[in-house]
Amino acid sequence: MSISSSVSGSSESSGRSGRQGPEPGRREARWAEALGMLAGVAIDAAFADPRRGHPVALFGTAAAALEKRVYGDARSRGVLYVGLCVGPMALLGYAATRGGNPVVRGVLSAAVTWSVLGGTTLGREGVAMAEFLEDGDLEGARGRLSHLCGRDPSRLEAPELARATVESIAENTSDAVVAPLFWGAVAGVPGLLAYRAINTLDAMVGHHNARYEHFGWAAARLDDVANFVPARITGLLTALAAPLTGGSVSEAAAVLRRDGHRHPSPNAGRCEAAFAGALDVTLGGTNVYGDRVEHRPEMGRGSKPEVQDIRRSVRLARAVGLAAAGLAVLAALRGTRR
């Protein structure tokens, strides 16, 4: 990086320090983005997702329209589709934060962080499921499950509804909280927008079925890559937070090590295994998705989840989210000194 003000005597000072930090304007911008990310976390905690005009929903609508134009039963078509969806989002974030007033960048960072996080909504959905099941309202709980996952709830009883809820909370703690914060710390607003685009595409087309087996391959694999590190951070933070819900750090860590790799997903298993160990329950089993049945290995050493474990999982997810937010902001601020 060229800094015009350092030309005079630069060789001597460079010899002492070995490297130079960012110019003041860039440092202020990074501070603004980091504090904006913290503000976005606070806004999400206070207001959750906007009910109307959610940016992620608007992106999904545009992506669905584009799919109709570029779809083809081939991986190459899927790669093109992902590139046309994710690339513009990253470029939009870069263009919006290039130069400009630090205050504007901070406000933009806060708004984007709020729009891509889903931790508060995830917790509210978990509490809603717990309330239905506590009231014995199986039909209400079955109808609500679609807000958390794509399993067929029509024949699920309370224990299986509880298991589905806990597993969804575990996985989405990474997808909706830790991962976006991680990419926000790494790449600022462009990272936030690109990650949310990748994760949304995976939810839309990253499925094993006749239509998307080939076309959705790129979206699914890119999502695996984007979540590789965040999922493992989620597992570690979950193990450390286990005592907050009556669990043991050592037990959660042991289950994470033993069972985290057994899940079909290279990332979801780390989250679910850590939650299973922290809550002292057993997750996994048979899941039905429409006409597709999956038999997943069991993770954990406790009993199957019960209704009361849903609220415990929500508390655990909130603790992990707060820890991840703190780490992300610290990491982003540390980047201002490098």
Side-chain angles (χ1 to χ4, degrees):
M1 181 180 295
S2 175
I3 306 176
S4 58
S5 61
S6 67
V7 172
S8 177
S10 61
S11 60
E12 182 177 345
S13 62
S14 297
R16 287 196 300 267
S17 66
R19 67 181 181 183
Q20 297 178 9
E23 68 267 23
R26 175 62 178 164
R27 186 165 58 246
E28 291 175 0
R30 288 294 290 164
W31 265 94
E33 287 187 9
L35 296 178
M37 189 160 60
L38 182 61
V41 172
I43 296 171
D44 177 69
F47 301 106
D49 292 330
R51 294 184 179 274
R52 294 183 180 180
H54 197 298
V56 176
L58 297 176
F59 170 81
T61 300
L66 180 62
E67 180 191 341
K68 295 178 181 178
R69 292 181 174 273
V70 304
Y71 176 81
D73 189 20
R75 288 184 176 183
S76 60
R77 302 295 289 184
V79 170
L80 173 64
Y81 175 65
V82 169
L84 291 174
C85 289
V86 177
M89 296 303 295
L91 290 174
L92 174 63
Y94 176 76
T97 56
R98 182 173 172 80
N101 189 301
V103 174
V104 174
R105 294 183 67 158
V107 171
L108 181 62
S109 177
V112 173
T113 300
W114 176 34
S115 70
V116 303
L117 288 181
T120 301
T121 297
L122 176 65
R124 290 180 180 180
E125 289 298 331
V127 170
M129 285 291 294
E131 290 175 345
F132 278 120
L133 293 175
E134 288 164 355
D135 293 339
D137 186 355
L138 277 180
E139 289 306 312
R142 288 168 178 164
R144 194 80 181 195
L145 187 63
S146 62
H147 293 213
L148 287 166
C149 64
R151 299 181 199 180
D152 180 1
S154 60
R155 299 182 182 179
L156 297 184
E157 299 298 325
E160 285 301 299
L161 288 167
R163 177 173 72 86
T165 302
V166 172
E167 290 175 354
S168 297
I169 289 172
E171 181 177 357
N172 284 295
T173 296
S174 179
D175 288 359
V177 184
V178 178
L181 289 171
F182 172 82
W183 287 109
V186 169
V189 171
L192 290 166
L193 291 175
Y195 171 76
R196 181 48 64 208
I198 292 167
N199 190 244
T200 302
L201 292 180
D202 178 59
M204 293 175 63
V205 304
H207 308 296
H208 291 291
N209 57 35
R211 178 175 176 83
Y212 294 125
E213 186 66 32
H214 299 111
F215 182 77
W217 173 84
R221 295 292 76 77
L222 186 57
D223 184 73
D224 287 343
V225 172
N227 281 290
F228 187 87
V229 174
R232 283 145 184 83
I233 293 174
T234 301
L236 291 175
L237 292 178
T238 300
L240 292 174
L244 298 178
T245 54
S248 161
V249 173
S250 60
E251 174 64 13
V255 173
L256 173 59
R257 286 194 303 270
R258 188 192 70 178
D259 297 338
H261 66 282
R262 303 179 65 201
H263 195 282
S265 164
N267 299 319
R270 268 63 184 187
C271 309
E272 292 185 19
F275 266 69
L279 299 173
D280 192 25
V281 298
T282 294
L283 300 178
T286 301
N287 299 335
V288 179
Y289 301 89
D291 58 356
R292 180 167 56 87
V293 179
E294 291 187 4
H295 302 281
R296 296 182 177 177
E298 293 187 342
M299 296 176 287
R301 294 190 273 231
S303 59
K304 290 289 186 179
E306 299 180 4
V307 175
Q308 61 266 28
D309 294 316
I310 296 177
R311 291 186 183 272
R312 295 176 63 218
S313 71
V314 171
R315 292 198 301 273
L316 184 59
R318 287 172 176 164
V320 171
L322 286 174
L327 290 175
V329 172
L330 287 174
L333 290 176
R334 185 174 183 273
T336 66
R337 300 197 302 271
R338 300 188 63 176

